[in-house]
Amino acid sequence: QVQLGESGGGLVQAGGSLRLSCAASGRTFSSYHMGWFRQAPGKEREFVAAVSRSGGGTNYADSVKGRFTISRDNAKNTVFLQMNSLKPEDTAVYYCATTAHYYSYYERADLYDYWGQGTQVTVSS
């Protein structure tokens, strides 16, 4: 069982930055690949970024590539999402999640086992 808790969301103007954190319980954090997803009102949940167990592999949705950076600190059981050059279309609830499946499936939300409660990010124009 893994429990996840996101923090760091808020209201920011377009062009600004936010850093999301996701703290995980348990001693097996380094066994899981981690992902960030987001869901805007009226839209389906979509993949944002993923990082492999060791942190050596990262992947991003095309819409955030070059603006967002995912990282993890296995010693602190925490994964981060640094979001720069934010746009109004980045407004959504952001969720972190864990998966024990192959990292190549990082975009598939249905293969993530545990999810946080989400944190709201609102970008004003």
Side-chain angles (χ1 to χ4, degrees), residues 14-94:
S17 298
L18 283 174
R19 190 191 195 205
L20 304 184
S21 299
C22 172
S25 65
R27 295 175 290 178
T28 58
F29 178 74
S30 60
S31 301
Y32 297 97
H33 307 306
M34 298 296 298
W36 285 98
F37 291 77
R38 66 187 182 186
Q39 187 166 19
K43 294 187 177 181
E44 293 187 353
R45 189 170 297 189
E46 64 174 359
F47 167 76
V48 175
V51 60
S52 63
R53 295 185 185 97
S54 66
T58 57
N59 290 85
Y60 300 91
D62 288 342
S63 59
V64 306
K65 204 170 292 183
R67 299 188 298 122
F68 290 11
T69 302
I70 188 171
S71 61
R72 66 189 296 163
D73 185 339
N74 284 345
K76 296 183 178 179
N77 283 12
T78 304
V79 62
F80 305 97
L81 186 67
Q82 178 66 44
M83 306 186 296
N84 298 328
S85 302
L86 282 161
K87 304 175 181 180
E89 51 263 43
D90 293 319
T91 295
V93 178
Y94 284 71

